[in-house]
Amino acid sequence: PSLRHTLSQVLVGPNQAPHIHELLQTAARRLNMDGNVPDLYIKQNPSPNAYTLAINGRKPFIVVHTSLIELLSLDELQAVIAHELGHLKCNHGVWLTVANLIATSALSIPAVGGVVSSGMEEALMRWVRAAEFSCDRAALVVVQDPRVVASVLMKLAGGSSSLAPHLNVDAFIEQAQSYENATADAVGRFMRRAQTRELSHPLPVVRAAAINQWGSSAEYNAILANGVQEES
C-alpha cells in the first residue's frame, strides 16, 4: 500500500477491528486464497463504498469506507469483502490495466482514433460490468445466501443506517424480477443496453436478479460441493 493509505487510514488486523479482520480471513479461506490475503484499510468517508487496488506489483489491498461498515450487517460486510477478493482471485486488476492501456493507445491513432477508442471504451465498460457479476458470485460462494448479497445491493441502491431496519430484501428481489420480466423482449433488451452502456457497474436490480438466479444453479451447488473450505 502507498504511504498515503498507511498514514491516513486504519489498517485492520488481529488487534485492530479484529471482527473485520476475521471476516477477511474467513472469506479468503473459502475462496482458497489463504496465502494471498490482501491488507484491508478502513477509510473515513460518508459515501458507502469499497474498492481494491493492486499497483505496480505491490501487495494488493482493500479499502472499505466507514459509512459502508455502518450501513451493513456483519454478513453483508463479509459479502462486500468477498466481492473485493473476487477481483483479485480473477486477476481483474491486471486485465483492467491492459484494457485501459489499449484504450489510451487507440486515442493516439490519427483520424480514426476517436472512433476506435469509443468502441474500445464501450467494450471495456461491458467487461467491467461482467467482472462485477463474477465478483458477486465470489461473494455468494463465501456467504452462501443469495439474500445477503441482494441485501447489500438493496442498501447500496437506496439504504441508510436509519432506513435499513425497514427494508425488505424479498421485496427487492421481487422488484428485480419484475425488471427482468419487463425487459425480456427485444425492446426491453434495447432499453437495458441504452441504460447501462456507460455504467461501470450493472444496475443493482439486475445484479440482484442475477445472483438470485445463480444461487439456485447447478454450477453454484457444484462449487460448494467441491471447492469451499469451511471452518475446521
Side-chain angles (χ1 to χ4, degrees):
S2 69
L3 187 60
R4 176 173 63 86
H5 288 89
T6 302
L7 291 176
S8 63
Q9 300 170 17
V10 175
L11 174 62
V12 168
N15 300 313
Q16 185 69 274
H19 63 301
I20 297 178
H21 175 71
E22 184 55 33
L23 294 178
L24 172 65
Q25 297 300 316
T26 299
R29 224 168 12 247
R30 291 181 179 175
L31 292 173
N32 298 319
M33 296 176 64
D34 306 63
N36 298 286
V37 183
D39 288 332
L40 191 153
Y41 286 86
I42 298 173
K43 179 179 181 179
Q44 181 67 245
N45 194 298
S47 177
N49 195 20
Y51 52 91
T52 301
L53 293 175
I55 307 170
N56 297 330
R58 299 176 183 175
K59 183 179 181 181
F61 60 97
I62 296 169
V63 176
V64 181
H65 290 178
T66 50
S67 54
L68 185 62
I69 295 172
E70 293 169 358
L71 179 64
L72 303 180
S73 70
L74 288 180
D75 285 343
E76 292 163 353
L77 181 58
Q78 185 170 61
V80 168
I81 292 171
H83 177 101
E84 297 305 320
L85 289 173
H87 283 299
L88 298 174
K89 180 80 172 179
C90 297
N91 290 318
H92 286 163
V94 174
W95 292 110
L96 186 58
T97 299
V98 171
N100 280 324
L101 287 173
I102 292 173
T104 302
S105 298
L107 288 171
S108 65
I109 300 175
V112 299
V115 176
V116 174
S117 64
S118 176
M120 286 188 174
E121 182 178 357
E122 185 173 338
L124 173 62
M125 288 300 99
R126 283 199 303 270
W127 181 87
V128 170
R129 290 192 295 273
E132 293 302 317
F133 285 119
S134 297
C135 293
D136 286 344
R137 292 183 175 190
L140 180 55
V141 167
V142 169
V143 299
Q144 300 178 23
D145 184 350
R147 296 175 77 259
V148 172
V149 182
S151 184
V152 172
L153 297 167
M154 174 183 66
K155 289 181 178 180
L156 289 174
S160 68
S161 297
S162 61
L163 187 60
H166 307 287
L167 294 176
N168 185 330
V169 67
D170 293 317
F172 185 69
I173 292 173
E174 183 179 344
Q175 175 186 338
Q177 191 56 54
S178 296
Y179 178 82
E180 289 291 299
N181 296 337
T183 57
D185 60 14
V187 174
R189 290 193 295 272
F190 174 80
M191 293 300 296
R192 180 189 292 201
R193 286 194 296 270
Q195 290 171 332
T196 60
R197 183 174 293 122
E198 297 181 358
L199 298 179
S200 62
H201 287 60
L203 296 170
V205 292
V206 174
R207 293 171 65 183
I211 203 63
N212 190 55
Q213 181 178 4
W214 193 69
S216 60
S217 69
E219 181 183 27
Y220 168 66
N221 286 308
I223 290 172
L224 290 189
N226 297 325
V228 178
Q229 296 186 16
E230 296 291 352
E231 299 297 322
S232 56

